[in-house]
Amino acid sequence: MAERREIRVPDIGDFSQVEVVEILVKPGDRIAIDDPLVSIESEKATMEIPSSSAGVVVELSVKEGDKVSQGSLIAVLEVAEAAAPTEAPPAAKPEPARPASTPAVAPEKTSKPTATPTASTAVSPVASPAPAASFQSIELDRSTRQISSAAANPVPDQTGLPHASPLVRRFARELGVPVAETQASGPHGRVLIDDVKRRVRERFGGESEPGAPAATSGAAVGMGIPPVPFVDPARFGPVHEQPLSRIQKVSGPALHRSWLNVPHVTQHDEADITELERFRRDRKDLASAKGVKLSPLLFVMKAVVIALREHPTLRSTLSPERDRLLVKDYFHLGIAVDTDQGLVVPVVRDVDRKGVFELAAELQSTAERARNRKLTPDDLTGACFTISSLGGIGGTAFSPIVNAPEVAILGLSKTQVKPAWRGPSPVDDVSEGSAAGHFEPRLVLPLSLSYDHRVVDGALAVRFTTRLAAILSDPMQLLL
Ligand code: CAO
């Protein structure tokens, strides 16, 4: 016989009366343990409340806009009789805002933290979200507050914001139009979706259809950047909608922010990795005996550490006052991982202290956890430099976006066979041929280093890539 089980809000740290901003299930849905039920939004972070049981949703006890605290009833599930008794409810899952750029992104379904902190040291992910998460959400909050203080709308609610449902607020946020700047036409001074659309049209003009937003989402409002007018593509032929993944929704604004704030330059270079590839090929059997795969990326990670040691500016962050650099004396590297939900950038820690086989195993399991959405906020923060490797897929070069507040990111493209001249300088007369010289086929790895030009000069960047190329062309240097 089926049993009914109540799912309540778990420990969410010091927060209470937190608003439900999204309902993620409906009665009749069959859900698994850890599936998110609702999203709640505190002043500091958005969290998903996961289910502590598997079963069928028979009743939803909250709706969007409700305020909940620890212990509030969220839903009632019908669970199979044989189901194990509910354990302590899993911690609410903060949705860490992805560090900007190719940046680290919280997975759609962050698994609950694996370590169980002791009571005295317990820091719930809500009370103390990962730095990137708290930074981004606080920043969002601050701008909201600044806007609300300038609001013309006379009917603020208790938070100081005009009345508007979470849906309307999110819609306005996505279009880059503060709710506070929107004339409300709903009952009791509520801002409606149509009010936001009208405000967008007023503000940006453009070719919009009646009822359609006039600007693309994420318009850089207030930065003097003219928005791209929305032109409804359905006017020209059939269209269909494809929702953005949750990761894309979080990473988009972070990428945009990094792109707008960081003056980017990309330095392209090449490393002759012929010897390295021979070295790697000769160790393939050894690697598979150890249950790992040796990809070129692992050797690049080790080489990057050497180059970063010699060029500390590349592992720094600009201070908030922008008058000094905070140079990180650790070698945690962000590694961009492609998942079906979008790009995430987990961090491999202490790369300087790990051997290539150990790194291979760690990268393999980290990429797997990323693809299974099992990364925790801790996995996504703390890098001093990021590598984005597209080499397994293809490409000749690209311009990665700096993972701010880091100041540089290295992109890798596919190795190519290129001719290298062996002989005297072509400036000398070699046309007579004979033993003057010859071309030799070499395996070349394309490097693309994007950097924050406020911190890194062009000369430094090319010194860095030149050094990196030199290390990679002589694998013995990796051993020294
Ligand atoms: N040139 C040629 N071949 C390469 C290569 C390169 N630069 N880099 C890797 N390869 C090969 C590997 O050797 C492997 O070949 P075999 O299967 O024959 O051994 C194959 O390509 C696949 O490699 P991989 O991608 O599984 O392994 P990796 O260690 O190179 O990368 C990871 C791991 C997790 C970084 C990668 O899988 C990934 O997700 N890359 C995408 C990152 C991304 O999307 N960046 C975009 C940022 S901008 O939006």
Side-chain angles (χ1 to χ4, degrees):
M1 224 184 72
E3 176 198 319
R4 290 195 164 204
R5 189 167 290 164
E6 293 181 340
I7 309 293
R8 295 178 176 274
V9 176
D11 178 5
I12 49 172
D14 292 337
F15 293 91
S16 64
Q17 293 297 299
V18 184
E19 185 169 334
V20 176
V21 292
E22 200 170 0
I23 306 284
L24 303 167
V25 293
K26 56 183 185 322
D29 281 358
R30 180 171 293 282
I31 57 167
I33 289 184
D34 259 5
D35 276 357
L37 300 174
V38 296
S39 292
I40 61 175
E41 199 168 81
S42 76
E43 282 193 0
K44 297 211 168 140
T46 303
M47 288 154 272
E48 286 180 350
I49 304 290
S51 177
S52 51
S53 294
V56 175
V57 180
V58 287
E59 201 178 300
L60 265 173
S61 310
V62 288
K63 56 184 186 320
E64 282 183 7
D66 281 359
K67 299 275 169 64
V68 294
S69 306
Q70 181 178 349
S72 301
L73 182 63
I74 296 182
V76 178
L77 300 190
E78 202 165 71
V79 298
E81 193 188 24
T86 315
E87 291 173 12
K93 297 180 284 187
E95 182 184 291
R98 180 170 100 165
S101 90
T102 48
V105 173
E108 180 174 351
K109 282 175 56 181
T110 315
S111 64
K112 63 184 170 184
T114 41
T116 312
T118 58
S120 58
T121 58
V123 182
S124 89
V126 178
S128 176
S134 54
F135 178 69
Q136 292 205 341
S137 42
I138 286 166
E139 211 174 48
L140 177 76
D141 235 85
R142 193 187 301 138
S143 60
T144 314
R145 258 185 239 121
Q146 280 165 359
I147 290 157
S148 74
S149 66
N153 196 314
V155 199
D157 67 13
Q158 70 276 19
T159 63
L161 291 169
H163 286 300
S165 72
L167 190 73
V168 172
R169 280 188 198 159
R170 185 170 329 120
F171 181 65
R173 233 178 3 235
E174 282 176 7
L175 293 180
V177 173
V179 170
E181 285 184 9
T182 306
Q183 192 64 45
S185 69
H188 311 295
R190 284 188 91 76
V191 176
L192 307 176
I193 290 264
D194 280 345
D195 298 330
V196 176
K197 289 180 180 174
R198 195 182 52 250
R199 180 66 189 121
V200 171
R201 277 197 296 274
E202 284 165 13
R203 189 160 181 165
F204 302 116
E207 257 195 271
S208 60
E209 293 290 290
T216 53
S217 65
V221 177
M223 299 193 68
I225 297 172
V228 179
F230 176 80
V231 179
D232 187 353
R235 284 169 47 190
F236 309 107
V239 295
H240 68 276
E241 291 193 0
Q242 183 178 312
L244 288 182
S245 72
R246 215 165 164 72
I247 287 178
Q248 287 174 310
K249 285 183 195 160
V250 177
S251 61
L255 284 161
H256 196 184
R257 185 168 49 239
S258 187
W259 183 252
L260 289 172
N261 280 297
V262 174
H264 278 75
V265 179
T266 304
Q267 174 65 53
H268 297 287
D269 211 334
E270 291 178 336
D272 179 339
I273 60 164
T274 316
E275 299 311 321
L276 180 62
E277 281 295 89
R278 271 192 199 119
F279 181 84
R280 189 173 74 92
R281 182 200 60 197
D282 294 348
R283 272 143 201 89
K284 267 196 174 162
D285 289 346
L286 182 59
S288 48
K290 287 178 182 283
V292 294
K293 259 175 63 177
L294 290 184
S295 78
L297 173 60
L298 301 160
F299 297 94
V300 175
M301 288 166 74
K302 292 301 286 181
V304 159
V305 166
I306 299 175
L308 284 176
R309 261 193 214 292
E310 297 169 8
H311 301 90
T313 303
L314 275 289
R315 55 179 152 100
S316 71
T317 279
L318 198 54
S319 74
E321 300 77 24
R322 298 187 188 171
D323 60 353
R324 63 198 187 284
L325 296 179
L326 310 173
V327 179
K328 289 158 248 182
D329 291 326
Y330 46 81
F331 297 91
H332 308 333
L333 299 183
I335 304 293
V337 175
D338 180 35
T339 77
D340 60 359
Q341 286 288 304
L343 183 70
V344 289
V345 188
V347 177
V348 178
R349 294 190 142 68
D350 299 316
V351 176
D352 55 320
R353 294 190 214 157
K354 292 174 181 163
V356 169
F357 289 123
E358 190 180 353
L359 285 175
E362 188 169 334
L363 186 62
Q364 217 162 288
S365 78
T366 305
E368 218 170 277
R369 283 192 300 125
R371 287 173 182 141
N372 295 328
R373 304 181 210 169
K374 296 282 182 213
L375 295 175
T376 64
D378 271 357
D379 288 321
L380 298 165
T381 50
C384 68
F385 183 92
T386 290
I387 303 177
S388 176
S389 175
L390 290 173
I393 305 169
T396 52
F398 66 111
S399 302
I401 298 180
V402 171
N403 196 2
E406 293 159 34
V407 296
I409 179 169
L410 178 69
L412 305 176
S413 299
K414 194 174 178 62
T415 48
Q416 303 163 34
V417 179
K418 285 197 168 181
W421 175 248
R422 303 293 186 223
S425 161
V427 174
D428 301 330
D429 185 10
V430 292
S431 56
E432 302 303 313
S434 69
H438 63 281
F439 282 102
E440 197 180 301
R442 305 293 292 178
L443 261 181
V444 169
L445 174 67
L447 309 173
S448 304
L449 180 83
S450 291
Y451 56 90
D452 182 339
H453 208 350
R454 295 170 302 175
V455 175
V456 180
D457 293 335
L460 174 59
V462 79
R463 275 189 199 108
F464 181 85
T465 58
T466 303
R467 178 67 181 126
L468 190 59
I471 301 164
L472 288 169
S473 67
D474 176 10
M476 291 310 282
Q477 294 203 43
L478 292 172
L479 305 175
L480 300 175

